Amino acid sequence: MTAAPRRLESYLAGAWRRGAGAGQVLLDAGTGAPVAVVDATGLDMAGALGYAREVGGPALRRLSFHDRAGMLKALAASLNDRRDPLYAESCATGATKADSLIDIDGGIGTLFAYASKGRRELPNARVLLDGAPERLSKDDSFSAQHILTPLQGAAIHINAFNFPCWGMLEKIAPTLLAGVPAIVKPASQTAYLTESVVRAIVASGLLPEGALQLVAGAVGDLLDHVTGQDVVTFTGSAATGRRLRSHPAVVANSTRFTMEADSLNAAILGPEAGPESPEFELFVREVAREMTVKAGQKCTAIRRIIVPARHLDAVAAALAARLDGTAVGLPLDEGTRMGPLASLAQREEVRARIAELGAEAEVVSGDPDTPRLASGDPDAGGFLNPVLLSCARPHAARAVHEVEAFGPVATLMPYDDPEEAAALAAKGMGSLVASVFTDDPGVAEAVVLGLAPHHGRVMIGNRASARSSTGHGSPLPMLVHGGPGRAGGGEELGGIRGVLHYMQRTAVQGAPRLLSAVTGRWTEGAEAREDVHPFRKSLTDLRIGDRIVTAARMVTLEDVEHFAAFTGDTFYAHMDEAAAKANPLFDGRVAHGYLVLGFAAGLFVDPAPGPVLANYGVDNLRFLTPVYPGDSLKVRLTAKEITPRATADHGEVRWDAQVTNQRDEVVAQYDVLTMVAKDWP
């Protein structure tokens, strides 16, 4: 007796819940066997949003950025230990082991990447500062600072079927790091894998309750309840995305909406890259890979292959040879190199799109109607051989630039010069990514500048980067993922840029003392304390505003000449009085800027062993007034920002260093960065 397929559940308001309807039966992409039943009928979507806002949001906002980064790291490690069951289940989506690695390991890797970025690039605080303070009064009694704080709603992530693991994890990583709870709605066809990932996350106990919820099935009236504090992200067809973006509640509340939609990504072969060049081989290999990975069901897959007209036949022959050798079959079979499409319905959709393209292009490789398989039943699984088309007159064509066959399908088209190649790519009306394969700097410049306004990412491929390149179709956590126009107009990922999608930028104005209380950073005009030398204070005792004002030291001509001889810096402005006076910026010989920094350090450093462990950098250094022999320098050093490390016995302290002369003119301004022990005997 065959076991009934498992019934998926939604995780809402702290519990696993079943829908009240009969549900949709989900089938194995390769065998057609039932895998699961999905349904969310009758579930309380308004309650889920309320739970995110009232339980998940406050719990996340109580944590600092570093706390949340540590949470993501622990979550990634936990999922890493539970990959094997996910791999086993992933094959039902049509994914080969290599495809699953992109989806599962890629998603976990994105969590690790955001955990690392959160610790390295964000403060151990709950408020993120945006830019420098703005002085609004001459006496520093009224200033302003832009800050970023988490939205107090929820992020609703509506995802596509092709990456059920990565698609969720790449969106919740920046969301949770920002301090905003997420409600994830995966596409039904592959929702069983997403549900398994969420079950593993919930079982880990690593996220605060309410931080992550799952809708397995239709979202019902969820969008009816969004507000201006919520965010909706969507990955899928442009038509569905436009419908969701125009939802009355989204429009009425100006709810943030980020969309990743249709994308006819292009790959361009440089005009100089003939069949004997390394770039030609790299190009053919990359196009073939992008057509067959995940059976071409990737938002970044190459759909248009733009090549020099004189090399069109050579590219077609080389690609056909590679594609014809692709073993298509069941994902678990060792010899399989490309699995089936996600469903029989998806295969019919792709065949219909190929027929549309056929009005303007001819099939030069692959039979879309009769799969040639290494294994599997073409009537049970969504199998389709790679299909290569060729369009002789791409400028006069419409479908090849507008119709996306979301499978292993791409169209060749010729061009005569680099500007024409970029213009053809632009006819896609906005795409996620384009690539150009060239070793010619002039071609790279011309094509990239032509592509950039129409694409979210552009990859240059050549012989020098071949071994290290991540390839055309790999979104990376540190780079934006999105594109203009028909690609949706959104930007995901991009490192900390992705975090900012879920935060509100606010300009805060007030007395510097109160601004410092809000921001956790000392600013000019705020209170300062001068008692014990701040370098004698551990992180436990140090407070922002702790300060030392040093004695003065005169700079002599002998100092300048000694520094020049010792360092080898004999620039004329330091050594030649007449030449220095001829310089419109100086009145005569001037001291070296780095001499000024060295003297400043000698004035404020406390030399005995103490809690200050190391100086690890200087930020925002500016030399503002020339220093001449005979000038006297003194330093005002103020503890500006204190960032404890959660996992170490020390933290970072940023100091405001201001160097002035005998006329109280600021000659140098900069931030000194030190590591300071949390406790010191």
Side-chain angles (χ1 to χ4, degrees):
M1 183 176 178
T2 304
R6 97 171 190 259
R7 190 174 181 90
L8 303 185
E9 295 179 321
S10 297
Y11 187 70
L12 301 174
W16 288 99
R17 305 176 190 276
R18 289 193 173 191
Q24 174 189 352
V25 179
L26 308 177
L27 304 180
D28 186 298
T31 68
V35 176
V37 176
V38 63
D39 176 57
T41 304
L43 298 183
D44 183 4
M45 299 301 170
L49 262 176
Y51 194 73
R53 294 168 183 149
E54 296 160 19
V55 178
L60 287 169
R61 293 194 296 273
R62 282 193 289 270
L63 304 175
S64 71
F65 288 109
H66 285 198
D67 293 334
R68 296 178 209 137
M71 178 182 73
L72 291 182
K73 182 179 180 181
L75 182 59
S78 175
L79 290 176
N80 211 38
D81 292 338
R82 304 180 188 210
R83 287 179 300 165
D84 289 347
L86 301 178
Y87 267 84
E89 195 167 23
S90 178
C91 69
T93 72
T96 64
K97 185 175 181 180
D99 295 336
S100 296
L101 182 121
I102 297 169
D103 188 27
I104 297 169
D105 288 63
I108 294 170
T110 301
L111 288 178
F112 274 125
Y114 268 93
S116 177
K117 281 193 162 290
R119 293 193 310 274
R120 289 186 289 106
E121 299 180 30
L122 295 176
N124 193 7
R126 297 182 299 149
V127 174
L128 181 60
L129 306 188
D130 179 27
E134 299 287 346
R135 297 178 67 181
L136 303 179
S137 64
K138 290 183 178 180
D139 63 356
D140 290 315
S141 62
F142 191 57
S143 301
Q145 173 70 60
H146 287 91
I147 66 171
L148 290 145
T149 53
L151 292 171
Q152 295 191 359
I156 299 168
H157 297 310
I158 303 172
N159 295 334
F161 70 84
N162 52 338
F163 287 102
C165 182
W166 178 84
M168 175 180 71
L169 297 181
E170 66 96 4
K171 287 184 178 178
I172 69 170
T175 304
L176 296 177
L177 185 55
V180 175
I183 299 175
V184 175
K185 188 274 185 243
S188 292
Q189 178 58 41
T190 53
Y192 47 87
L193 183 54
T194 310
E195 193 227 40
S196 293
V197 178
V198 174
R199 284 191 181 276
I201 292 173
V202 172
S204 75
L206 292 168
L207 297 186
E209 188 50 65
L212 177 64
Q213 298 181 78
L214 171 73
V215 178
V219 295
D221 64 350
L222 180 61
L223 295 189
D224 292 348
H225 308 288
V226 297
T227 71
Q229 286 292 305
D230 299 312
V231 180
V232 178
T233 74
F234 170 78
T235 301
S237 74
T240 303
R242 286 191 295 268
R243 178 169 56 81
L244 295 178
R245 178 179 271 165
S246 60
H247 188 285
V250 172
V251 174
N253 295 297
S254 298
T255 303
R256 299 185 189 191
F257 190 98
T258 299
M259 180 166 70
E260 181 202 310
D262 303 345
S263 185
L264 284 157
N265 311 295
I268 298 171
L269 180 64
E272 87 292 353
E276 304 304 317
S277 71
E279 285 69 35
F280 184 94
E281 173 61 23
L282 292 170
F283 177 81
V284 169
R285 188 170 66 197
E286 187 71 2
V287 171
R289 182 174 70 171
E290 285 298 312
M291 288 180 64
T292 55
V293 169
K294 290 286 288 184
Q297 297 169 114
K298 289 173 56 184
C299 55
T300 54
I302 293 169
R303 308 297 181 196
R304 295 176 297 156
I305 311 163
I306 303 173
V307 301
R310 64 184 180 277
H311 299 319
L312 183 67
D313 291 342
V315 172
L319 272 175
R322 277 187 174 269
L323 297 173
D324 288 346
T326 302
V328 180
L330 293 169
L332 285 178
D333 288 353
E334 188 173 338
T336 295
R337 292 296 174 264
M338 189 180 90
L341 299 178
S343 66
L344 288 171
Q346 180 65 19
R347 182 176 68 182
E348 293 313 304
E349 170 71 18
V350 173
R351 284 174 172 171
R353 301 290 80 76
I354 293 173
E356 285 188 62
L357 294 170
E360 299 172 350
E362 62 174 335
V363 174
V364 295
S365 176
D367 184 347
D369 298 318
T370 309
R372 188 178 67 255
L373 304 181
S375 63
D377 181 351
D379 295 324
F383 299 102
L384 181 73
N385 293 120
V387 176
L388 179 66
L389 300 99
S390 182
C391 176
R393 301 177 59 206
H395 279 294
R398 178 198 62 82
V400 295
H401 303 297
E402 295 183 12
V403 174
E404 181 180 19
F406 201 70
V409 181
T411 303
L412 277 162
M413 51 192 73
Y415 76 87
D416 292 323
D417 57 63
E419 290 73 20
E420 183 185 7
L424 285 172
K427 288 175 77 68
M429 297 178 291
S431 300
L432 299 174
V433 56
S435 55
V436 53
F437 285 76
T438 182
D439 200 44
D440 185 321
V443 171
E445 179 188 21
V447 175
V448 170
L449 295 184
L451 293 174
H454 306 279
H455 295 80
R457 179 166 59 89
V458 177
M459 191 208 78
I460 306 171
N462 80 329
R463 65 196 74 181
S465 65
R467 290 185 178 180
S468 56
S469 173
T470 53
H472 165 102
S474 299
L476 298 173
M478 63 288 297
L479 304 180
V480 295
H481 176 55
R486 67 177 288 163
E491 290 185 355
E492 299 172 13
L493 300 177
I496 300 305
R497 297 175 188 86
V499 177
L500 305 189
H501 290 323
Y502 307 100
M503 307 188 79
Q504 175 62 44
R505 181 181 288 104
T506 305
V508 183
Q509 300 168 269
R513 176 173 65 90
L514 302 180
L515 284 182
S516 292
V518 171
T519 63
R521 177 181 284 188
W522 180 86
T523 188
E524 194 71 49
E527 293 177 347
R529 179 176 63 172
E530 298 178 35
D531 48 13
V532 178
H533 192 302
F535 276 26
R536 305 313 307 168
K537 296 181 180 181
S538 68
L539 219 60
T540 303
D541 300 322
L542 190 68
R543 298 291 180 268
I544 63 169
D546 282 356
R547 169 184 290 174
I548 181 175
V549 178
T550 71
R553 172 173 180 169
M554 179 177 289
V555 179
T556 68
L557 186 60
E558 290 75 16
D559 292 329
V560 175
E561 292 181 341
H562 173 74
F563 189 85
F566 187 68
T567 63
D569 181 357
T570 56
F571 183 64
Y572 74 87
H574 310 308
M575 307 303 295
D576 186 325
E577 183 73 19
K581 282 186 176 181
N583 186 313
L585 301 179
F586 306 128
D587 296 331
R589 293 173 69 178
V590 295
H592 304 71
Y594 296 110
L595 169 63
V596 172
L597 289 191
F599 278 9
L603 289 169
F604 67 70
V605 166
D606 188 304
V612 176
L613 306 175
N615 177 332
Y616 70 95
V618 169
D619 278 352
N620 308 316
L621 171 63
R622 294 293 184 271
F623 297 113
L624 303 172
T625 302
V627 174
Y628 299 100
D631 283 350
S632 292
L633 304 179
K634 64 180 178 181
V635 184
R636 188 197 71 185
L637 187 77
T638 310
K640 185 174 185 177
E641 190 171 19
I642 302 170
T643 303
R645 286 193 180 186
T647 57
D649 58 4
H650 65 272
E652 288 86 31
V653 177
R654 178 180 292 269
W655 306 84
D656 179 85
Q658 186 183 85
V659 185
T660 54
N661 62 20
Q662 68 275 13
R663 294 180 295 277
D664 292 327
E665 297 168 328
V666 179
V667 302
Q669 185 88 42
Y670 53 100
D671 289 352
V672 178
L673 310 176
T674 63
M675 294 181 181
V676 178
K678 289 181 178 177
D679 295 293
W680 189 261

